[in-house]
Amino acid sequence: NAFNNMAITNYQAKMAALSAQLEKTGAALTTFGTTMSALGTKILTAISPLLAFEAYAAKVGVSFEKAMDTVQATSQASSTDMEKLTEKAKEMGENTSKSAIDAAQGLNYMALAGWKTEEMLTGIEPILKASVAYNADLGTTSDLATDSLSALGLTAKDLGHYLDIVSNAQSNSNTTGTALMEAYVEVGGTFKNLNTTLEE
């Protein structure tokens, strides 16, 4: 009987020790779990902007590719010319306040006007600068510039001088560059027949 009591006491002591050890282990696991949860939250917080940017970049990349596909379809440019146009659009997106997608849309309006690759490559930057000066989007500015040039009987080589005149008119009168180009689209043929210089 004494032996049984001793065995039971030893068993109880071992069980108590085991229970205490399990409590410590459980507490440690809880702490570890809390720490890992907090770490996971911190990691998620840290990488969320990166994931969002990656998703944004992917979306922008797809949109840019679609915009350049439209340029290719409109202009029927060769693959070599498309490489040049794509690089130019990206350059405009990197070095100006406009995006590469904006530049692609501007190029498309030039293609719609029948401009060749070299004309588009040299014309996109002046039109981009004009869009900033006129506080207008690049597509609209490109559309109006190409259409009004055509209505006035001018060509792509006249673009720089023409945009300078429009910008000067905006600075010195109660009009905007886009409004003036819209007017030229409507009455360019009549204006051309008057045999008056653009400066006048």
Side-chain angles (χ1 to χ4, degrees), residues 97-107 124 137-139:
S97 62
K98 301 294 182 178
S99 72
I101 297 172
D102 292 330
Q105 291 169 345
L107 290 170
I124 188 63
D137 68 81
L138 186 54

Side-chain angles (χ1 to χ4, degrees), residues 102-129:
D102 292 330
Q105 291 169 345
L107 290 170
N108 191 55
Y109 280 110
M110 294 179 194
L112 284 167
W115 288 23
K116 304 303 178 197
T117 299
E118 288 307 314
E119 294 171 328
M120 293 161 71
L121 290 170
T122 57
I124 188 63
E125 193 162 353
I127 289 178
L128 188 150
K129 289 178 179 175

Side-chain angles (χ1 to χ4, degrees), residues 13-184:
K14 287 180 180 178
M15 289 304 293
L18 179 60
S19 178
Q21 187 60 43
L22 286 173
E23 283 183 17
K24 283 183 184 177
T25 303
L29 286 172
T30 300
T31 302
F32 177 75
T34 303
T35 302
M36 289 307 292
S37 177
L39 181 61
T41 301
K42 286 180 181 177
I43 290 172
L44 187 58
T45 300
I47 67 171
S48 287
L50 298 175
L51 293 174
F53 177 77
E54 187 176 324
Y56 169 77
K59 182 178 179 182
V60 168
V62 169
S63 298
F64 177 67
E65 286 176 13
K66 285 183 179 177
M68 290 309 297
D69 284 346
T70 303
V71 172
Q72 201 284 325
T74 304
S75 67
Q76 295 297 301
S78 68
S79 58
T80 302
D81 284 347
M82 279 309 298
E83 285 178 18
K84 293 177 184 176
L85 292 168
T86 300
E87 284 307 307
K88 189 66 175 181
K90 287 179 180 178
E91 178 191 329
M92 295 294 95
E94 290 171 3
N95 300 327
T96 71
S97 62
K98 301 294 182 178
S99 72
I101 297 172
D102 292 330
Q105 291 169 345
L107 290 170
N108 191 55
Y109 280 110
M110 294 179 194
L112 284 167
W115 288 23
K116 304 303 178 197
T117 299
E118 288 307 314
E119 294 171 328
M120 293 161 71
L121 290 170
T122 57
I124 188 63
E125 193 162 353
I127 289 178
L128 188 150
K129 289 178 179 175
S131 76
V132 174
Y134 307 158
N135 194 29
D137 68 81
L138 186 54
T140 299
T141 306
S142 182
D143 186 26
L144 289 172
T146 54
D147 287 355
S148 58
L149 270 177
S150 179
L152 290 164
L154 302 173
T155 63
K157 66 180 175 55
D158 301 307
L159 177 67
H161 181 60
Y162 171 64
L163 290 177
D164 286 344
I165 291 170
V166 173
S167 297
N168 187 55
Q170 175 177 275
S171 299
N172 294 287
S173 66
N174 186 24
T175 191
T176 64
T178 51
L180 185 57
M181 289 193 294
E182 284 175 358
Y184 283 144

Side-chain angles (χ1 to χ4, degrees), residues 180-192:
L180 185 57
M181 289 193 294
E182 284 175 358
Y184 283 144
V185 170
E186 296 298 321
V187 299
T190 303
F191 183 86
K192 180 175 64 174

Side-chain angles (χ1 to χ4, degrees), residues 1-25:
N1 200 11
F3 176 78
N4 286 339
N5 285 339
M6 186 183 293
I8 289 171
T9 301
N10 282 343
Y11 178 75
Q12 286 175 335
K14 287 180 180 178
M15 289 304 293
L18 179 60
S19 178
Q21 187 60 43
L22 286 173
E23 283 183 17
K24 283 183 184 177
T25 303

